[in-house]
Amino acid sequence: MAPTRRLVALDAPFTDQKPGTSGLRKRVKVFQQPHYTESFVAGILAAVPAPAAGASGHTLVVGGDGRYYGQEAAQLIIRMAAATEGKIAKIIVGHKAILSTPAASNLIRKRQAVGGILLTASHNPGGPNNDFGIKYNVSNGGPAPEGITNKIYDFTKTLKEYAIMEDLPEVDLSEIGTHQAGDLEVEVVDSVADYVELLHGIFDFAKLRAFFAARPDFKVLVDSMHGVTGPYALRIFGEELGLGAGAVMNATVLPDFGGGHPDPNLTYAHDLVERVWRDEIDFGAASDGDGDRNMIIGAHKTFVNPSDSVAVIAHWATEAIPYFKNGLHGVARSMPTSGALDRVATKHALTCYEVPTGWKFFGNLMDAQRLSICGEESFGTGSDHIREKDGIWAMMAWLSILAAFAEANPGAEVSLRAVLADFYAQYGRHYFARYDYEDVSSDGAKGMMAELRANLPAAGSLVLGNADMVVQESGDFSYTDPVDGSFTSGQGLYVRLENGSRFVFRLSGTGSQGATIRLYAEQYHASQVDLDPQQALGPLLRAALAVAKLQEYTGRDAPTVIT
Ligand code: VG1
Ligand code: CO
């Protein structure tokens, strides 16, 4: 039968397809309901701008982190794109529908695609009983801004029918090369090649190889957590840097991430943490399901806090990373991320922007050449080489810093610990901690936030009568994009103290059920730089929890994850 374009009617539109911090994330079972995935894809395809008059149809990039349901979703997108009557003329898709989020961002930019559809729920667990997700990125390679995600949501709420090609044979996504799906061209590309080429334009691979050659005992271990970075890490660390396949663990991409929680933090990447700290591995790193997050750890129980990570990278960038040799435009961090980056910016006479949580807020600044390096406390670090955070980039940046540190300090110990000590000696230390209370009741979480919002301790008052905790400023964070003037409010409740400490409460926007409350705390010490972070922050965290009445509202007396 010849493929035919068919309009499929919905009994009723879906009213729950509002994208969160990073795309639409739901249980796989929700996406598997009849028409559910189709509805959201229809919303995305409607948000793709029509090609200019007389111009040919657009190219769209499609790929995901290999999680369960990704294959089906990719085939569905092909059938729906083929029914756009020429709006989409071509799809570039990763081999077996696999692309890391950074690799997809790169492909969108490199191939001048109109955007991309990323099949991932990032660090959320995968498999038939866990999460799937769909994210739309625009032509700059970055997550669609809120104006567009709101439009997609509005579209789905009133959707009556969608178009799809029927009887279109499945495209064999395991076959690299060009395929035809009706009028639609489908190019299956190597998932890794373009991304590796990108990194070659950023880092000095020869210098890193020489660094390792001079230190045969230097041990590296990268944990891909059965997420998408396995093939990327094997190629880059195993082959290109000559470290061998043994330098990568959990490198096979699995649809359920081996049953694990592919979130690179001290709790969920415990296997790596145990090996690195037990075997005194010099450099350990992990990435999340879709490859945009990173955690960096090392021997001597070293943990690089992500808030410090972006600051240290910014500090070393021009010296350690060829891509930045002519200087930085500016730097940026999400609001809850600590002020360590601000200190680096001040010293180097750079502007430091503070944006709401979520990578979508960095893109405009990068496009306007105001921003080179940015990060989030949630293990996200990146630069304007693409428009997503980038886990492998961050690992390469840290290895480059170690190489530059060795050059600058002949004879000194070359370790993550030494790099951090050197940094703290220059800038002081922003102790930082985050408590996550996962899967609490939505009503409890909302109630807690509402009461705290109404009763935020006012400037000049003392937190719980504590004389050390004089409030300097408090509020609900909002942001006006300096490039396009768009305004975003309700981005987190913060209380800043006169001594420079701060705590922040916000609700997660990436979960798929219940609510997750995040508490962020930070405290600056100019000279006491080797305290235990949890101890240093203990009084502040306890005060914050009491002010918010967290236990009263949620029944929880301990966080699920501590960072
Ligand atoms: C979390 C992080 C945020 C990050 C987002 C997406 O969002 O806090 O910093 O940008 O995840 O990361 P939330 O709303 O749950 O706090 V990923 O790796 O899921 O794309
Ligand atoms: Co991610």
Side-chain angles (χ1 to χ4, degrees), residues 21-22 25 122-123 288 292-293 357-358 376 378 389 434 506 508-510 518:
T21 312
S22 176
R25 298 184 192 186
S122 190
H123 57 284
D288 71 335
D292 55 357
R293 294 187 177 204
T357 296
E376 297 191 279
S378 55
K389 55 191 190 270
R434 179 171 120 180
R506 61 178 283 282
S508 159
T510 55
R518 304 202 196 286

Side-chain angles (χ1 to χ4, degrees), residues 277-537:
W277 289 353
R278 185 193 59 209
D279 299 345
E280 297 290 334
I281 289 171
D282 300 277
F283 183 90
S287 49
D288 71 335
D290 65 329
D292 55 357
R293 294 187 177 204
N294 75 92
M295 174 174 75
I296 309 286
I297 57 174
H300 323 292
K301 296 224 155 144
T302 307
F303 166 69
V304 180
N305 188 287
S307 289
D308 287 342
S309 181
V310 61
V312 174
I313 292 174
H315 170 74
W316 279 96
T318 51
E319 200 175 328
I321 304 173
Y323 178 83
F324 298 115
K325 65 174 187 289
N326 297 324
L328 306 180
H329 297 305
V331 295
R333 59 170 173 80
S334 66
M335 183 273 279
T337 304
S338 91
L341 181 63
D342 305 51
R343 288 182 195 274
V344 175
T346 303
K347 177 160 174 204
H348 294 253
L350 297 167
T351 304
C352 180
Y353 299 89
E354 182 182 43
V355 309
T357 296
W359 212 259
K360 56 179 172 260
F361 296 100
F362 294 124
N364 275 347
L365 296 168
M366 291 180 178
D367 290 349
Q369 304 210 325
R370 294 193 192 197
L371 169 58
S372 298
I373 291 176
C374 54
E376 297 191 279
E377 48 62 45
S378 55
F379 299 87
T381 334
S383 94
D384 63 351
H385 66 293
I386 51 171
R387 295 294 179 274
E388 289 279 5
K389 55 191 190 270
D390 189 340
I392 292 205
W393 175 92
M395 297 173 199
M396 289 292 288
W398 270 93
L399 289 173
S400 303
I401 288 169
L402 286 168
F405 183 87
E407 233 172 49
N409 300 279
E413 172 187 309
V414 177
S415 64
L416 293 174
R417 167 173 81 168
V419 171
L420 287 176
D422 170 72
F423 181 84
Y424 297 149
Q426 291 182 56
Y427 294 97
R429 179 166 178 185
H430 283 258
Y431 288 94
F432 185 88
R434 179 171 120 180
Y435 281 8
D436 295 322
Y437 298 82
E438 296 179 345
D439 210 0
V440 299
S441 93
S442 286
D443 290 346
K446 281 186 197 144
M448 187 200 90
M449 290 297 279
E451 183 177 341
L452 182 61
R453 188 175 293 113
N455 296 328
L456 272 177
S461 69
L462 303 181
V463 177
L464 304 172
N466 192 324
D468 295 341
M469 298 188 186
V470 187
V471 177
Q472 185 183 62
E473 196 203 346
S474 64
D476 191 349
F477 185 67
S478 64
Y479 176 69
T480 303
D481 185 304
V483 180
D484 67 11
S486 56
F487 178 74
T488 313
S489 59
Q491 294 297 314
L493 302 173
Y494 63 90
V495 176
R496 183 180 287 287
L497 306 182
E498 280 186 355
N499 63 14
S501 304
R502 180 181 70 157
F503 65 82
V504 175
F505 280 96
R506 61 178 283 282
L507 297 184
S508 159
T510 55
S512 60
Q513 69 169 29
T516 292
I517 298 172
R518 304 202 196 286
L519 162 61
Y520 313 79
E522 113 179 69
Q523 189 166 352
Y524 178 66
H525 285 272
S527 54
Q528 275 183 290
V529 295
D530 45 18
L531 306 172
D532 170 57
Q534 301 302 333
Q535 258 170 9
L537 290 162

Side-chain angles (χ1 to χ4, degrees), residues 157-168:
K157 278 192 296 189
T158 56
L159 185 67
K160 295 197 175 61
E161 61 183 16
Y162 62 87
I164 190 162
M165 292 306 284
E166 272 200 330
D167 307 314
L168 196 65

